[in-house]
Amino acid sequence: MSKQETLIRLQDVTVRYSKGTEALREVSLSVEKGEFVFVVGCSGSGKSTFIKTLLGEVPVSSGNIIVSQKRLDKLKRKELPYYRRTLGVVFQEFRLLEDRNVYENVALAQRVIGVENERMKRNVSIMLEMVGLAQKSKAYPKELSGGEQQRVAIARAMVNRPGILLADEPTGNLDPENSWEIMGLLDEMNKLGTTVVVVTHNNEIVNRMQKRVITLNNGNLIKDEAQGGYVQ
């Protein structure tokens, strides 16, 4: 059996904000290649800070974070945008460009890294097919439902085939039916080899999907279960 590859490692990570609040307190954990991990906890537990540290948006006060063999505290400011392009990121509020259609929103991620046009058209078409929006490539975000907009966001996050997908409350603005469709998509991406980390407060989804669950409380990692549940 081949040795697993660690893609994310936090070593005694503390994040202290300017007013002295500790959003994370000596958190140590690792995520292996191919894992699907939920990060849960009540409001103020440190979930959002956890995602922001992985994105390099919030610096650690002590300890270190290694993502895909890169120590984030060693990255220069000018290197951060290039690092972030290696990740797929999905947010609660979709963050689509309202003046661009579905195709253009997804293609933007390819343009940023300089993919040539023919290959870009092929890649975007494949992703839109995968998320079930091939027939809506010319539609604009305001013409789509919330679930459809989040599927566009997932296509945009995945079109560059990142090794890691970070999802911050991806079902927060969706009804239960659309929430399950989005979680099914994330599960499908994971089965294709992408490592998925989902921050959520949706205990029904966490309990039914039976994935690894990391629980934060007041900045502390209090539980890490291989197939956990979540009671809020």
Side-chain angles (χ1 to χ4, degrees):
M1 185 175 175
S2 60
K3 188 176 181 295
Q4 282 187 301
E5 178 186 346
T6 300
L7 285 189
I8 300 170
R9 186 184 300 280
L10 279 70
Q11 298 173 317
D12 298 319
V13 168
T14 293
V15 174
R16 190 177 298 106
Y17 289 116
S18 56
K19 293 184 178 179
T21 303
E22 289 189 338
L24 293 177
R25 300 177 180 179
E26 297 185 358
V27 172
S28 294
L29 62 89
S30 60
V31 177
E32 308 299 319
K33 183 176 181 179
E35 277 198 276
F36 190 120
V37 183
F38 283 114
V39 180
V40 302
C42 59
S43 180
S45 63
K47 302 190 305 294
S48 293
T49 298
F50 176 78
I51 284 286
K52 288 175 180 176
T53 59
L54 294 182
L55 285 169
E57 290 181 0
V58 173
V60 300
S61 305
S62 61
N64 61 70
I65 300 177
I66 301 167
V67 180
S68 300
Q69 302 182 337
K70 295 181 180 70
R71 263 191 67 165
L72 300 196
D73 60 315
K74 299 295 185 185
L75 289 180
K76 297 174 183 174
R77 184 180 292 272
K78 65 182 180 181
E79 294 174 317
L80 277 171
Y82 297 97
Y83 159 70
R84 289 175 186 142
R85 289 173 197 171
T86 69
L87 306 171
V89 188
V90 178
F91 300 97
Q92 176 177 339
E93 60 274 14
F94 318 138
R95 299 194 185 183
L96 301 178
L97 298 174
E98 296 293 330
D99 62 342
R100 303 195 188 192
N101 64 30
V102 166
Y103 175 89
E104 291 163 344
N105 265 280
V106 178
L108 184 63
Q110 294 261 282
R111 293 189 201 282
V112 165
I113 62 170
V115 175
E116 54 91 17
N117 280 337
E118 285 308 309
R119 187 169 153 224
M120 180 172 63
K121 287 178 184 176
R122 185 168 63 251
N123 291 343
V124 173
S125 296
I126 289 170
M127 282 311 308
L128 290 178
E129 186 74 42
M130 191 174 290
V131 301
L133 291 175
Q135 305 305 314
K136 297 204 173 184
S137 64
K138 294 182 180 179
Y140 285 81
K142 65 182 179 181
E143 300 171 319
L144 304 175
S145 68
E148 287 171 334
Q149 289 186 63
Q150 192 63 296
R151 281 191 267 162
V152 176
I154 291 172
R156 180 183 59 191
M158 290 300 301
V159 72
N160 291 342
R161 304 290 179 175
I164 300 170
L165 177 66
L166 305 176
D168 189 4
E169 300 283 7
T171 63
N173 289 333
L174 303 178
D175 60 40
E177 182 180 350
N178 277 305
S179 294
W180 281 112
E181 285 186 9
I182 293 305
M183 294 313 302
L185 265 179
L186 296 183
D187 198 27
E188 187 178 338
M189 299 303 172
N190 177 242
K191 287 172 180 172
L192 292 172
T194 302
T195 302
V196 177
V197 179
V198 179
V199 168
T200 186
H201 65 271
N202 191 319
N203 55 341
E204 182 187 356
I205 283 174
V206 174
N207 293 335
R208 278 179 58 182
M209 288 188 71
Q210 287 293 295
K211 305 290 188 179
R212 179 182 171 190
V213 180
I214 292 167
T215 306
L216 297 174
N217 181 45
N218 202 26
N220 297 296
L221 193 163
I222 61 168
K223 202 182 293 183
D224 187 348
E225 301 171 288
Q227 282 190 316
Y230 176 42
V231 179
Q232 205 164 14

